Amino acid sequence: MVLQDAETVAEAFLVRLRRRGVDRLFVNSGTDFAPIVEAYARRKESGLDLPDVVVCAHENLAVSMAHGSYLGDGRVQAVMLHTSVGTANAVCAVFNAARSRVPVLLAAGRTPIFEHSMLGARDAPIHWAQEMFDQAGMLRELVGWDYELRDGAQVTDVVDRALDVACTEPRGPVYLTLPREVLAAPVFGTDDRPAPAGPTPAHPEPAAVDRLADLLAAAEFPVVVTADAGADLAAVPLLDELCRRFGIAVVEHGTRHVNVPADHPLHAGYAVDAVLADADVLLVLDHDVPWIPGTAGPRPDAVVVQAGPDPHFTRYPVRTHRADLSITACTAALLQALTTAMAQRTSDPARGERLAERVRGWRDRRDQVLAADFENADPITKPVLNAALARVRPADAVVVSEYWGSAELLGSTVPGTFYGTPPAGGLGWGLPAAMGLQMARPEATVIATVGDGAYLFANPAACHQAMAMHDLPVLTIVCTNAHWGAVQGSALRMYPDGHAAGVPDLSPLARLDPSPRYATYAEASGGMGIEVSARADLMPALEKALRTVQEDRRHALVDVHCA
């Protein structure tokens, strides 16, 4: 059937996005958006079903919100950027999405090709300076596919191709440039064919599953190490069952998702180094850096199995972690097949109880931190801040952590309620991602736990303005200590006896003082802001902020001065 109701390529592009299940279009618009602006202006007359526009005042905000929306609902997202300069602003957020395997169609306007004589041709001086020889080259290494729309006759094919590649494992962003003249052109015969069938999940090779099952059944101390298994919410109960039924310990190392409930009896904690000396079979389940080769590693006689959609992380230029067996499969499919195979084998029925007792030590250390005294005059530390949040946080509240929110101390038990910093570590992700997640799950309580450096990188004025514009009652908790902890810590690790270690003051390269009054960013956009510097005020402030986001449905920020 011909898309007779779409008059321009811009309209056909937007209609196809919607019909492929893209409900939101995150945008930071510019002069290249004129045909898009016209398409939305004509919507009342045309009746076209177009994606809902989510206006963002910065490209990092737009892409990171799309990232968070995918975490929230598991559906492919779309962003439209402003030509070359908007793409440049977005690269850091695209890096995060790429390394986190988040499927998002990144569309960007392209500076008009023609200088005259075409609708959409150049009509402002900026159209010469913004043109690049290879606009997509800025992020080609980070996307699975890039292309430029050449003509309206191919708009359906190109949108389908982009979305299909983005959603094929290993998933990730794709990039499509849209010349203004092409968007403005009339549609001739654009079809509305059904969406192509999506790819089925990759299933593991049966012989490899049998070998892995044999290894796990015969092991004395089998351990699963993961950071991202819980990216697929369906995998969480599968991993839970596998480890319970067959006595396998599990370590969440560098946690970025709830991979198993924190109260799992065979949870071995959040530090892989604690088990490497004992584990005789190590199943690395969808984890890019399961240990740091220069400081630790599996024992020589251990068997190491790498498994996941891309078990060797082929987009990383160098990664030499051992693999005695490598299995390519989506996590849920592997866990289902492995559970079936393990049920056909005999393993020591008492192994689970022995391992549970052996790996429980981290729980005692965590309980000591959670028993923090909030009435004394000691400074607020990051562990104390985590303990306070753990006490007031509802079990189903979602925490998006960029810096201080600890998966170990917060103890999430519900799948999809904890998200940690992407492996690329591009700062400024946490707060926008929390906003996108709030948009995807409007009934959820969403809490962003960020450091002051990460908060500044997120363009806070743009973030709070977007919270007000789009009715996003996110609770932001800023741990303010006026320094880059990662910068100072890295220097001290490299030079433990160096000059920086011998100086009592912070390096100037790690300082962020003077600290702004971060609460005023929220207040400037109609939110509530609170500053806390005393322990006794911490719990009441967090409780008040939670009431604000839950009952008043208004965004709130708590600025906590930490030691």
Side-chain angles (χ1 to χ4, degrees), residues 232-277:
D232 180 355
L233 300 185
V236 179
L238 295 173
L239 182 57
D240 184 333
E241 178 191 3
L242 176 75
C243 294
R244 285 178 191 267
R245 282 183 62 182
F246 306 111
I248 303 169
V250 58
V251 172
E252 295 185 274
H253 178 63
T255 311
R256 296 185 282 266
H257 299 271
V258 178
N259 302 294
V260 292
D263 58 3
H264 193 288
L266 284 158
H267 203 303
Y270 296 81
V272 71
D273 292 6
V275 300
L276 286 176

Side-chain angles (χ1 to χ4, degrees), residues 372-393:
D373 181 1
F374 292 97
E375 299 303 322
N376 64 40
D378 292 344
I380 300 172
T381 62
K382 289 186 287 293
V384 167
L385 182 52
N386 273 281
L389 180 57
R391 291 192 191 184
V392 303
R393 172 199 177 192

Side-chain angles (χ1 to χ4, degrees), residues 37 62 224 258 264 318 329 405 411 458 501 503 542:
V37 171
V224 173
V258 178
H264 193 288
V318 176
V503 176
L542 294 179

Side-chain angles (χ1 to χ4, degrees), residues 308-325:
D310 181 15
H312 290 294
F313 292 85
T314 53
R315 299 292 293 180
Y316 289 24
V318 176
R319 181 184 182 272
T320 58
H321 296 76
R322 267 178 57 194
D324 302 308
L325 173 63

Side-chain angles (χ1 to χ4, degrees), residues 137-151:
M138 285 187 283
L139 43 63
R140 183 164 294 126
E141 186 173 341
L142 303 174
V143 298
W145 173 94
D146 70 88
Y147 193 70
E148 182 167 294
L149 184 65
R150 315 288 171 75
D151 188 87

Side-chain angles (χ1 to χ4, degrees), residues 421-478:
T421 306
L427 281 182
W429 166 85
L431 182 52
M435 295 164 60
L437 209 148
Q438 181 78 77
M439 183 167 284
R441 301 186 199 168
E443 301 306 316
T445 298
V446 179
I447 304 168
T449 63
V450 296
D452 45 0
Y455 181 67
L456 287 171
F457 257 73
N459 298 289
C463 287
H464 289 287
Q465 186 268 345
M467 289 184 212
M469 176 185 290
H470 303 299
D471 297 319
L472 302 174
V474 173
L475 168 55
T476 308
I477 307 173
V478 183

Side-chain angles (χ1 to χ4, degrees), residues 77-102:
Q77 307 291 321
V79 179
M80 188 161 174
L81 307 165
H82 170 41
T83 65
S84 54
V85 289
T87 300
N89 263 349
V91 169
C92 182
V94 176
F95 208 143
N96 284 330
R99 292 299 192 242
S100 300
R101 301 198 300 258
V102 170

Side-chain angles (χ1 to χ4, degrees), residues 181-222:
E181 299 94 329
V182 176
L183 287 178
V187 175
F188 295 108
T190 303
D191 60 63
D192 187 28
R193 73 193 74 159
T200 59
H203 279 65
E205 201 274 329
V209 174
D210 285 339
R211 183 180 172 196
L212 176 56
D214 288 338
L215 290 167
L216 292 171
E220 289 290 326
F221 197 130

